[in-house]
């Protein structure tokens, strides 16, 4: 294998410039003269989308559940299994870097690409993304974590300018990237299309240089989203290594180096990173056959383990084998399994739900709808079919037209044709069960009262059809829990009405209150809370134990908890650990997810689970300190079955060395000094010297004098009450320096 430094020394400027830009749509340049090939990068998060040159139809690959529903499994092992599958298919096609995973924030359920992103919670997102990245790269295939960063909408994505306050940027938008940088080292990071604070993301020096390189210590390649580079020279100056999507721009960079606008050492740095990426890719390359059957089985397993049973009144599910069932809804025969846009796959085999449901039951089928528009005749036929059967399964969901790259949804509603269908069958049958396929929340309020059960399959990939049949008839036990809240209506969501903004101004007015952070803090009722999901069995939690009740910086808190399966089926429970700081210097969400564990239990079985929390579970971003810090005080540690189902909690006291409050200045008032515990001792001494007693503070005028004015106001007394001479400037210094000066 070549030596990067040696190669770099031999390269001409033109060859180095070429390394920094794509050769064609999916390849980088190599150095032909030295037998160094370019590498192949392709989409995407939900399976491989590989187009052979000159072909518009992607090669066959396994469509796995989209990130939005895979994350509802909260299952690190499952993510690793899915990642191994994708890595194997990449190796099969000779793909060196997969353009995945997507980890952007879900400011609004309307985000058109939300299905490509994991969760509304940055900790869950970052943790699962790190598993995905680590596993793929272990198998010799690189990843490209995307879209860096604050690219949280599709509307005007090439021109919009995100205005995000520093704390929200850190705690919501960047957090998943930060977690990933610590836990896994992605070979590449994809800089996104829009602007942040007026600067395009491919040339955003704050994000690329200050945060990614300096703070996170990232050493891999920063590449552009496809054709996202607006000013090529500025981008390279500000930290972009590799321009993708545009391949005719070498002259721009060449002449910028020749004219001295950009230093050759900068190009050397970028070219070096690209060479390192090529080297890693070549070293990771393996000749592999893809085991398509095993991959299909993994896709099915992933779908079954991710699905969320939202509602199950009177135990209508699981259905009895051999029951007489009506199935309605076109999605039963043409399932909606993926979103639209660059992550679309071409799966070789798709499980059809209707086929698999027929293996369990005596089925009557009626399509009920053809499109989003209500068809009265189809609905009538469906209602007729629904009469006198044991239950009706209705397939609902969004379509590729509504959930896709390039556009945001305009509302959170199910199509009218489906709402009318559900209400019509509910008029003739009391046991209506919904199987929903969407990559983001939909409003159920128009049908909620008419249905007994809702099984949310998300965009479940090619194995979703069999998985849903197994779940409906109890061959599999639902264990997924929502990785994003299902709000009651769009008007209740945090970014409403700021999303997607006006003109190009996208202002994150909701700040850190995204998802459950918003609903739980503001006590806004939701349809189904974050972390919610039912099972066919039941679990109890007991014996929550903490390793200590007092913590200090750098120490870890070990937590243990017992979970028991109290029902009569084997099942898996996802236990969530939230931390709440009831009192804090700056506003904080009512609670935040800090850890989770998934455990499988046989009927009657109890297992103990163990997790650990470190400083990051208690800290938050303090803008004036330019870092995360932990506040001293009381914290509640909660073990929960969802963000709104807290089963057990314990309290700890954190003694932190961090001082979060701004130091006082000469513009703070005497009263503020007097009432602040940091200055209390010195202030008391100063006031004693001045002969000021607590009674003086009865006169607001005295307490509101700012320290700067102390000499003027205290011009008269020259001796203290005990007869000693006093110097007002000295006392003023005592206050400002917060120490007694003799
Ligand atoms: C998308 C990326 C994708 C790239 C290549 C862009 O339009 O934003 O997510 O990886 O195209 O298909």
């Amino acid at each position: 294998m070549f030596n990067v430094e040696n190669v770099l020394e031999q390269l001409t400027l033109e060859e180095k410039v070429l390394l920094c830009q794509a050769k064609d749509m999916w390849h980088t340049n190599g150095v032909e003269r030295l037998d160094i090939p370019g590498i192949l990068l392709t989409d995407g998060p939900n399976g491989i989308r590989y187009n052979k040159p000159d072909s518009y139809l992607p090669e066959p690959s396994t469509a796995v559940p989209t990130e939005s529903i895979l994350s509802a499994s909260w299952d690190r092992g499952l993510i690793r299994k899915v990642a191994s599958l994708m890595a194997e298919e990449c190796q099969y096609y000779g793909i060196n870097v997969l353009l995945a995973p997507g980890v952007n924030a879900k400011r609004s359920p309307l985000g058109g690409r939300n299905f490509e992103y994991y969760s509304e919670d940055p900790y869950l997102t970052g943790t699962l993304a790190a598993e995905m990245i680590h596993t793929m790269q272990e198998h010799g295939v690189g990843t490209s974590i995307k879209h860096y960063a604050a690219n949280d909408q599709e509307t005007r994505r090439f021109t919009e300018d995100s205005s995000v306050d520093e704390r929200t940027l850190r705690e919501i938008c960047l957090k998943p990237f930060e977690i990933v940088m610590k836990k896994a080292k992605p070979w590449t990071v994809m800089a996104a299309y829009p602007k942040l604070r007026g600067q395009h993301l491919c040339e955003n020096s704050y994000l690329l240089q200050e945060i990614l390189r300096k703070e996170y210590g990232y050493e891999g390649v920063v590449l552009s989203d496809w054709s996202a580079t607006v000013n090529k020279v500025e981008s390279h100056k500000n930290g972009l290594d590799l321009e993708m999507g545009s391949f005719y721009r070498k002259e721009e960079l060449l002449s910028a180096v020749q004219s001295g606008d950009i230093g050759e050492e900068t190009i050397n740095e970028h070219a070096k990173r690209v060479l390192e990426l090529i080297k890693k890719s070549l070293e990771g390359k393996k000749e592999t056959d893809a085991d398509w059957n095993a991959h299909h089985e993994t896709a099915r397993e992933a779908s079954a383990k991710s699905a969320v049973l939202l509602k199950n009144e009177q135990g209508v599910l699981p259905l009895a084998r051999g029951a007489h069932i009506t199935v309605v809804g076109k999605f039963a025969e043409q399932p909606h399994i993926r979103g639209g846009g660059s992550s679309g796959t071409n799966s070789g085999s798709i499980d059809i739900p209707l086929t698999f449901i027929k293996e369990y039951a005596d089925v009557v089928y009626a399509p009920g709808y053809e499109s989003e528009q209500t068809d009265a005749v189809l609905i009538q036929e469906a209602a007729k079919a629904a009469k006198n059967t044991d239950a009706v399964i209705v397939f609902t969901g969004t379509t590729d037209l509504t959930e896709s790259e390039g556009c945001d949804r305009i509302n959170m509603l199910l199509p009218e044709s489906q709402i009318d269908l559900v209400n019509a069958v509910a008029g003739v049958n009391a046991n209506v069960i919904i199987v929903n396929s969407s990559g983001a929340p939909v409003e159920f309020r128009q049908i909620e009262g008419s249905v007994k059960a809702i099984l949310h399959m998300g965009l479940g990939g090619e194995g979703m059809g069999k998985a849903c049949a197994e779940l409906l008839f109890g061959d599999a036990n639902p264990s997924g829990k929502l990785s994003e809240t299902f709000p009651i209506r769009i008007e209740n969501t945090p970014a409403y009405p700021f999303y997607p903004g006006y003109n190009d101004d996208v202002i994150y007015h909701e700040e850190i209150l995204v998802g459950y952070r918003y609903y739980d803090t503001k006590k806004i009722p939701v349809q189904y809370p974050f972390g919610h999901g039912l099972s066919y069995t039941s679990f109890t939690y007991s014996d929550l134990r903490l390793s200590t009740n007092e913590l200090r910086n750098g120490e870890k808190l070990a937590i243990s908890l017992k979970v028991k399966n109290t029902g009569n089926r084997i099942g898996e429970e996802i236990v969530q650990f939230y931390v709440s700081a009831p009192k804090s210097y700056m506003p904080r969400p009512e609670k935040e997810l800090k850890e989770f564990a998934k455990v499988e239990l046989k009927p009657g079985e109890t297992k103990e689970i163990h997790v650990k929390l470190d400083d990051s579970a208690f800290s938050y971003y303090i803008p004036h300190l330019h870092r995360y810090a932990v506040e001293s005080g009381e914290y509640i540690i909660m073990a929960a079955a969802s963000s709104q189902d807290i089963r057990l909690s314990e309290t700890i006291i954190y003694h932190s060395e961090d001082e979060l409050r701004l130091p006082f200045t000469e513009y703070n008032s005497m009263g503020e000094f007097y009432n602040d515990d940091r200055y209390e001792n010195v202030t008391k001494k100063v006031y004693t010297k001045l002969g000021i007693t607590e009674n003086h503070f009865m006169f607001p005028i005295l307490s509101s004098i700012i320290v700067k004015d102390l000499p003027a106001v205290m011009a008269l007394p020259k001796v203290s009450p005990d007869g000693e001479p006093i110097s007002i400037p000295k006392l003023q210094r005592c206050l400002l320096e917060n120490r007694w000066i003799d």
Side-chain angles (χ1 to χ4, degrees):
M1 190 57 64
F2 62 88
N3 175 299
V4 171
E5 297 289 346
N6 289 351
V7 169
L8 202 59
E9 276 171 22
Q10 299 172 50
L11 296 186
T12 63
L13 176 62
E14 184 173 344
E15 284 168 333
K16 287 188 275 195
V17 162
L18 278 172
L19 279 174
C20 300
Q21 79 175 34
K23 180 180 177 201
D24 57 33
M25 196 61 170
W26 305 112
H27 290 91
T28 68
N29 281 299
V31 191
E32 229 172 280
R33 180 171 67 85
L34 301 176
D35 265 347
I36 297 176
I39 58 167
L40 171 60
L41 305 91
T42 188
D43 286 304
N46 318 315
I48 316 306
R49 185 183 70 121
Y50 168 57
N51 286 62
K52 280 196 173 147
D54 306 327
S55 157
Y56 283 104
L57 189 65
E59 293 301 296
S61 69
T62 306
V64 296
T66 62
E67 283 182 17
S68 58
I69 190 70
L70 193 56
S71 56
S73 71
W74 303 59
D75 190 330
R76 294 167 167 101
L78 184 70
I79 303 279
R80 289 196 290 270
K81 208 165 168 183
V82 168
S84 309
L85 167 169
M86 295 204 294
E88 196 174 297
E89 293 186 13
C90 283
Q91 293 285 10
Y92 175 80
Y93 285 120
I95 296 159
N96 305 104
V97 174
L98 190 72
L99 303 171
V103 298
N104 291 79
K106 303 197 185 196
R107 289 185 62 214
S108 166
L110 301 184
R113 282 184 102 168
N114 279 12
F115 70 91
E116 285 184 74
Y117 305 140
Y118 288 102
S119 165
E120 72 186 19
D121 181 84
Y123 179 74
L124 183 57
T125 295
T127 307
L128 299 182
E131 295 291 349
M132 177 73 80
I133 291 167
H134 184 76
T135 310
M136 292 213 50
Q137 295 184 172
E138 229 177 28
H139 285 76
V141 178
T143 54
S144 191
I145 186 168
K146 64 190 188 182
H147 305 87
Y148 188 70
N151 176 186
D152 306 325
Q153 66 183 51
E154 290 301 284
T155 309
R156 301 182 306 276
R157 69 172 168 162
F158 302 109
T159 54
E160 64 100 338
D161 185 0
S162 304
S163 293
V164 193
D165 66 278
E166 192 62 21
R167 189 173 165 206
T168 306
L169 182 69
R170 301 297 188 135
E171 291 187 19
I172 303 295
C173 306
L174 291 178
K175 195 69 185 179
F177 292 94
E178 186 196 327
I179 295 173
V180 161
M181 292 303 155
K182 279 189 197 131
K183 296 191 174 176
K185 305 250 170 289
W187 290 4
T188 77
V189 170
M190 185 189 290
Y193 289 117
K195 294 180 197 152
L196 173 76
R197 300 176 186 161
Q199 207 176 18
H200 271 286
L201 287 159
C202 285
E203 56 191 76
N204 196 295
S205 52
Y206 184 55
L207 279 199
L208 299 182
Q209 304 279 39
E210 295 306 314
I211 299 184
L212 191 61
R213 295 282 182 215
K214 291 194 190 140
E215 280 187 39
Y216 299 165
Y218 181 63
E219 289 172 352
V221 166
V222 176
L223 52 84
S224 72
D225 198 343
W226 266 232
S227 306
T229 312
V230 175
N231 184 324
K232 187 173 171 75
V233 177
E234 280 309 299
S235 298
H236 282 287
K237 274 188 191 168
N238 290 341
L240 187 90
D241 297 305
L242 174 61
E243 183 186 21
M244 293 302 294
S246 326
F247 16 94
Y248 304 110
R249 298 178 70 182
K250 79 170 182 202
E251 301 304 335
E252 278 174 62
L253 199 53
L254 260 180
S255 55
V257 185
Q258 279 149 357
S259 72
D261 186 18
I262 182 168
E264 189 164 345
E265 62 291 347
T266 306
I267 301 302
N268 288 346
E269 245 180 65
H270 300 320
K272 182 174 170 217
R273 289 200 196 101
V274 176
L275 282 173
E276 279 162 354
L277 175 66
I278 295 177
K279 187 173 172 180
K280 272 192 278 197
S281 302
L282 298 180
E283 283 169 350
K285 215 169 159 50
K286 284 181 212 138
E287 291 296 319
T288 319
D289 244 356
D291 186 342
W292 301 105
N293 290 337
H295 291 188
H296 182 75
E297 173 54 24
T298 300
R300 183 214 51 79
E301 180 192 346
S303 176
K305 288 195 163 199
S306 306
V308 185
L309 181 60
L310 294 173
K311 168 175 180 169
N312 191 16
E313 271 176 11
Q314 296 156 5
V316 66
L317 289 178
L319 294 164
R321 271 171 187 267
H324 186 202
I325 305 288
T326 311
V327 175
V328 299
K330 190 84 182 168
F331 284 165
E333 44 172 350
Q334 286 172 13
H336 185 208
I337 58 161
R338 61 167 84 87
S342 62
S343 73
T345 46
N346 171 19
S347 27
S349 94
I350 297 177
D351 289 351
I352 305 302
L354 188 58
T355 310
F356 288 94
I357 292 174
K358 281 183 179 164
E359 288 186 6
Y360 287 95
D362 171 16
V363 172
V364 193
Y365 171 67
Y369 55 80
E370 276 293 337
S371 68
E372 304 208 344
Q373 269 79 50
T374 299
D375 182 325
V377 175
L378 291 181
I379 290 192
Q380 230 173 10
E381 281 168 15
K384 202 168 150 211
K387 266 191 199 156
N388 308 323
T389 54
D390 299 330
V392 189
I393 302 171
V394 188
F395 280 77
T396 63
T398 56
T399 65
D400 295 26
L401 294 178
T402 47
E403 286 193 85
S404 176
E405 177 181 346
C407 58
D408 293 311
R409 289 197 292 168
I410 50 173
N411 59 42
M412 210 171 63
L413 302 172
L414 282 170
E416 188 194 44
S417 55
Q418 299 179 9
I419 296 174
D420 291 344
L421 174 65
V422 174
N423 289 327
V425 295
V428 296
N429 194 310
N431 293 327
V432 177
I433 294 148
I434 299 288
V435 175
N436 185 61
S437 295
S438 60
V442 290
E443 290 183 23
F444 285 123
R445 65 193 162 88
Q446 300 85 349
I447 54 170
E448 179 83 33
S450 314
V451 308
K452 285 228 171 105
I454 303 178
L455 179 63
H456 176 57
M457 298 302 298
L459 301 180
E462 64 182 52
M464 171 276 201
K466 185 164 185 216
C468 85
E470 289 170 345
L471 290 161
L472 289 167
F473 291 89
D475 263 2
N477 191 351
S479 62
K481 294 201 179 192
L482 288 179
S483 57
E484 60 189 302
T485 310
F486 270 54
I488 293 176
R489 55 196 309 148
I490 192 63
E491 292 84 350
N492 289 6
T493 60
Y496 184 88
F498 324 121
Y499 194 93
Y502 302 96
N503 303 328
D504 281 338
D505 301 329
V506 173
I507 306 174
Y508 285 48
H509 286 293
E510 73 284 1
E511 300 187 346
I512 52 164
L513 295 184
V514 173
Y516 71 91
R517 285 169 167 71
Y518 173 80
Y519 305 111
D520 292 358
T521 306
K522 297 209 167 185
K523 313 295 175 217
I524 312 270
V526 300
Q527 190 86 60
Y528 296 108
F530 175 80
H532 166 78
L534 304 172
S535 163
Y536 296 149
T537 186
S538 49
F539 304 97
T540 55
Y541 297 12
S542 69
D543 300 274
L544 174 64
R545 297 219 167 88
L546 309 183
S547 55
T548 174
N549 288 322
E550 300 204 17
L551 264 189
R552 289 185 169 69
N553 304 77
E555 291 176 355
K556 287 200 172 141
L557 178 70
I559 306 175
S560 65
L561 172 83
K562 285 188 182 150
V563 187
K564 180 172 185 188
N565 181 344
T566 48
N568 49 19
R569 275 169 190 269
I570 187 166
E572 287 182 287
E573 173 66 339
I574 297 160
V575 181
Q576 301 148 49
F577 295 93
Y578 295 87
V579 174
S580 164
K583 284 192 199 134
S584 57
Y585 177 58
M586 288 169 68
R588 296 186 77 167
E590 190 235 23
K591 65 172 95 63
E592 290 178 286
L593 179 81
K594 297 298 174 182
E595 231 344 319
F596 57 89
K598 189 168 188 178
V599 60
E600 187 184 71
L601 295 161
K602 297 191 195 82
E605 191 182 11
T606 301
K607 277 187 190 161
E608 192 166 59
I609 55 175
H610 298 266
V611 296
K612 276 191 182 149
L613 301 184
D614 62 16
D615 282 352
S616 65
F618 302 94
S619 64
Y620 64 118
Y621 194 82
I622 310 298
H624 66 262
L625 297 180
H626 309 289
R627 67 176 176 91
Y628 279 86
V630 184
E631 192 165 354
S632 290
E634 186 183 290
Y635 290 85
I636 305 171
I637 315 293
M638 309 172 201
S642 85
S643 82
Q644 297 191 2
D645 184 2
I646 311 301
R647 298 288 177 86
L648 296 167
S649 66
E650 283 290 337
T651 302
I652 63 142
I653 306 290
Y654 201 114
H655 304 283
S656 176
E657 288 160 4
D658 297 331
E659 176 52 76
L660 276 61
R661 294 168 293 180
L662 275 175
F664 281 171
T665 69
E666 55 186 353
Y667 291 99
N668 283 96
S669 71
M670 309 264 287
E672 282 165 346
F673 271 88
Y674 189 76
N675 288 316
D676 190 288
D677 59 312
R678 289 171 294 174
Y679 296 89
E680 207 180 322
N681 291 340
V682 168
T683 312
K684 275 190 183 150
K685 282 190 187 174
V686 169
Y687 287 3
T688 311
K689 267 274 188 237
L690 290 169
I692 298 173
T693 65
E694 259 189 42
N695 289 342
H696 287 93
F697 285 95
M698 309 269 291
F699 304 101
I701 192 74
L702 184 57
S703 51
S704 64
I705 288 167
I706 58 173
V707 167
K708 184 173 187 295
D709 292 340
L710 202 56
V713 178
M714 295 292 168
L716 287 181
K718 294 281 184 283
V719 287
S720 69
D722 56 13
E724 262 187 59
I726 58 170
S727 150
I728 301 294
K730 188 192 98 173
L731 295 182
Q732 195 182 24
R733 255 186 74 203
C734 291
L735 288 177
L736 294 175
E737 291 178 22
N738 192 19
R739 64 192 178 96
W740 186 252
I741 303 159
D742 280 316

